[in-house]
Amino acid sequence: MHRSSFPAVAAAAAFAGSAHAALIEYDGSFDEATDTISGDYRELGGDEDVGQFRLLEGTNRFFGGIVTPGDPGDTFNILLNDRQTLTAVRVSFDLDRDPFNPIAINQNTTLGVFDIDSTDPLRVSLSLSSAGDFASPDGFSLAGEDEFNILISSEVLALNDAGPVRYQIEFDVDEVPIPAPATAGLLAAGALVGGRRRR
């Protein structure tokens, strides 16, 4: 986990984008290029409104594209409920690119997970030094109920041809099930009987 390597410009953009959010209908997969009118996570709820996604148990997938200098980053918010834990963050970066037509990436191409309204906002950052797979460290976890801002951005990111560099971000979520009403009643009855026996 790296708290100091995230570019200052990226951090500023994260907070600028997290002030307003529009809850987006989400079924476990979302692509900014095909599922939005504006075609950008940063404008899903209107001008300067970022998308807000309530994550589901299992693997949640988000697809997008960025290219500098025209579109240097994407930002959106994710929500966890009080029974959920975010256990892993992964990004696959331009895996289908022709190896003879590589992308140029500098050290400030980064995916960050931020707390919202926190004095120590950066929870994890993944520095993208090349096309490929990147993942949060073993043992990483964030528990709900909470909201987090996701920012993928670059100071220098380019292709030999025109067009955005595609990425896929994955969030793995564990969820503790709500006890069924009958099960909850049995547990309560068992606790009552056990208390009487102890007396």
Side-chain angles (χ1 to χ4, degrees):
M1 191 175 299
H2 307 287
R3 292 181 177 267
S4 59
S5 61
F6 209 85
V9 65
F15 290 111
S18 64
H20 305 284
L23 189 62
I24 306 300
E25 186 175 344
Y26 176 66
D27 62 4
S29 181
F30 199 92
D31 189 336
E32 68 165 357
T34 59
D35 293 344
T36 73
I37 295 174
S38 66
D40 199 314
Y41 285 116
R42 292 173 300 182
E43 299 175 354
L44 294 184
D47 292 345
E48 299 182 358
D49 282 4
V50 304
Q52 184 185 63
F53 298 87
R54 192 175 299 281
L55 297 191
L56 308 176
E57 181 180 15
T59 299
N60 299 260
R61 294 181 174 88
F62 293 83
F63 301 89
I66 56 177
V67 61
T68 54
D71 179 22
D74 283 329
T75 185
F76 57 93
N77 295 345
I78 58 172
L79 292 171
L80 301 175
N81 66 41
D82 59 0
R83 303 183 316 278
Q84 291 179 326
T85 301
L86 178 62
T87 59
V89 180
R90 293 184 297 275
V91 57
S92 299
F93 205 60
D94 208 55
L95 295 181
D96 58 352
R97 176 62 48 181
D98 182 345
F100 296 103
N101 187 22
I103 56 178
I105 305 175
N106 83 339
Q107 66 272 18
N108 285 335
T109 301
T110 314
L111 171 70
V113 178
F114 293 84
D115 281 338
I116 290 180
D117 299 327
S118 171
T119 56
D120 189 16
L122 183 58
R123 301 303 295 265
V124 64
S125 68
L126 308 180
S127 295
L128 313 178
S129 56
S130 63
D133 290 327
F134 301 85
S136 54
D138 292 341
F140 169 78
S141 69
L142 291 175
E145 184 172 356
D146 215 338
E147 182 177 5
F148 301 95
N149 181 249
I150 310 304
L151 178 66
I152 181 169
S153 67
S154 179
E155 292 179 6
V156 178
L157 176 62
L159 297 174
N160 288 344
D161 62 354
V165 178
R166 294 284 291 169
Y167 62 79
Q168 173 179 320
I169 303 173
E170 293 183 341
F171 303 99
D172 288 350
V173 173
D174 290 344
E175 184 165 340
V176 177
I178 300 175
T183 305
L186 289 173
L187 291 174
L192 182 60
V193 170
R196 286 178 176 168
R197 284 180 179 169
R198 282 194 294 272
R199 291 195 188 103

